Amino acid sequence: MSYSLLKLLYLKSGSLNVPGQSNCFDFSDNNRCHMSYYQPNTRGWFIAEVEKCLCQQNIVLWLNGNAGMGKSVITAILLDKYIKRDMVCAWHFCTHSNPSQNTVLAIILSLSGMLEITIPGYAKALHSQGDAVLQEAKTNDDPMELFKVFFLTPLSEIDPPKDSDGNLKRFIAFFDALDEMIYKQMNKMLTILRDGFPYLPSFILLFVTSRRNDNILSALSEKVRCATYRLHHHNTHTHKEDSSILIEL
């Protein structure tokens, strides 16, 4: 399985299934549903902001707002845009109705399986640690050890990806509806975001959506280089006025 084949499957059918990776969740139906609600030529200002973030040093972009504001729709549109540019490395859509998919362990393993396909050299670096190390990380109840073994160590060992011009190529990982994780699991994920993500290589940008949540705000304010936007109720589709930048660290 290669990125080019993954993209071909997506372009032909909208499939986000990752063949050969049993730990990866298939969010094809979620993404198609969110895409169907998109109104063309709306939220163009925000899509432009994401493009700016790719050229900056931020490692997390957090979009928050009340339920029904279109955060998941924006996620789907951005995923569609950047998968066509070979710039999406992983994705996860949280839903409160499927808690088994929203544990830290399940999410890390699903994202890791996607990285094996999308990031050159990652699979080799991951498995070079040995099956015993991987298994121990999965069985220990330590989110940071899990993150270290499946993300930090292998991603730090590979050569930074380059584009066709030899410049650093950034990849986006999408995490939609973080706040729909159950409280205990969300706090474990916030520990990873606060204490782990600042040490990832700079070619990874994490795009996160959620409702406004003080715990998420606190975690992303401490150590993380984060650009944060909040959607407001009024509906100015083409201007930045329907959002405010809360943090840019």
Side-chain angles (χ1 to χ4, degrees):
M1 185 65 177
S2 64
Y3 199 124
S4 59
L5 180 55
L6 183 68
K7 183 171 74 171
L8 180 61
L9 291 172
Y10 176 78
L11 293 176
K12 290 179 67 175
S13 64
S15 173
L16 288 175
N17 184 39
V18 185
Q21 294 291 335
S22 59
N23 288 322
C24 293
F25 297 121
D26 184 0
F27 293 108
S28 303
D29 291 341
N30 303 67
N31 197 59
R32 292 189 191 103
C33 179
H34 297 316
M35 286 278 290
S36 71
Y37 289 111
Y38 180 63
Q39 299 297 316
N41 301 316
T42 61
R43 305 296 193 194
W45 64 267
F46 183 73
I47 294 173
E49 288 296 313
V50 175
E51 196 72 21
K52 290 180 184 178
C53 284
L54 287 168
C55 300
Q56 298 169 352
Q57 293 301 310
N58 296 310
I59 60 170
V60 177
L61 194 161
W62 177 35
L63 177 66
N64 67 80
N66 293 334
M69 296 292 291
K71 302 181 296 297
S72 296
V73 174
I74 291 174
T75 300
I77 292 303
L78 289 172
L79 195 157
D80 177 77
K81 174 181 178 177
Y82 287 107
I83 201 170
K84 293 173 181 175
R85 291 171 55 181
D86 301 337
M87 293 176 66
V88 174
C89 62
W91 53 90
H92 190 85
F93 291 84
C94 285
T95 57
H96 69 274
S97 60
N98 201 344
S100 64
Q101 290 187 353
N102 296 335
T103 67
V104 169
L105 176 60
I107 292 170
I108 291 293
L109 295 182
S110 179
L111 298 178
S112 176
M114 296 171 188
L115 295 180
E116 290 199 45
I117 304 302
T118 58
I119 302 291
Y122 169 83
K124 181 179 180 180
L126 173 69
H127 292 286
S128 68
Q129 299 176 91
D131 291 341
V133 172
L134 301 182
Q135 186 60 35
E136 183 177 1
K138 288 189 287 186
T139 55
N140 288 340
D141 189 26
D142 183 347
M144 286 305 301
E145 182 64 19
L146 190 67
F147 178 79
K148 176 184 175 183
V149 169
F150 282 87
F151 280 74
L152 190 57
T153 296
L155 287 172
S156 298
E157 291 181 356
I158 66 175
D159 294 329
K162 302 291 181 65
D163 62 19
S164 58
D165 296 321
N167 300 315
L168 179 68
K169 179 179 180 179
R170 297 199 78 184
F171 284 86
I172 307 177
F174 292 90
F175 196 128
D176 185 61
L178 171 61
D179 58 300
E180 295 207 17
M181 297 179 72
I182 63 174
Y183 186 77
K184 182 179 179 180
Q185 293 295 321
M186 186 182 76
N187 282 342
K188 289 183 177 181
M189 187 61 72
L190 292 180
T191 297
I192 289 174
L193 291 178
R194 184 191 65 226
D195 298 333
F197 260 80
Y199 301 101
L200 280 181
S202 60
F203 64 82
I204 299 288
L205 173 68
L206 177 65
F207 178 82
V208 181
T209 72
S210 74
R211 285 169 288 188
R212 175 61 183 258
N213 181 289
D214 288 340
N215 289 337
I216 298 175
L217 177 61
S218 176
L220 295 179
S221 300
E222 289 189 31
K223 305 175 184 177
V224 183
R225 297 190 304 274
C226 178
T228 302
Y229 297 83
R230 185 176 185 185
L231 294 177
H232 294 301
H233 285 291
H234 53 289
N235 190 19
T236 54
H237 291 302
T238 59
H239 296 90
K240 197 170 177 178
E241 287 119 8
D242 64 336
S243 172
S244 58
I245 301 179
L246 302 180
I247 313 168
E248 193 157 4
L249 303 177

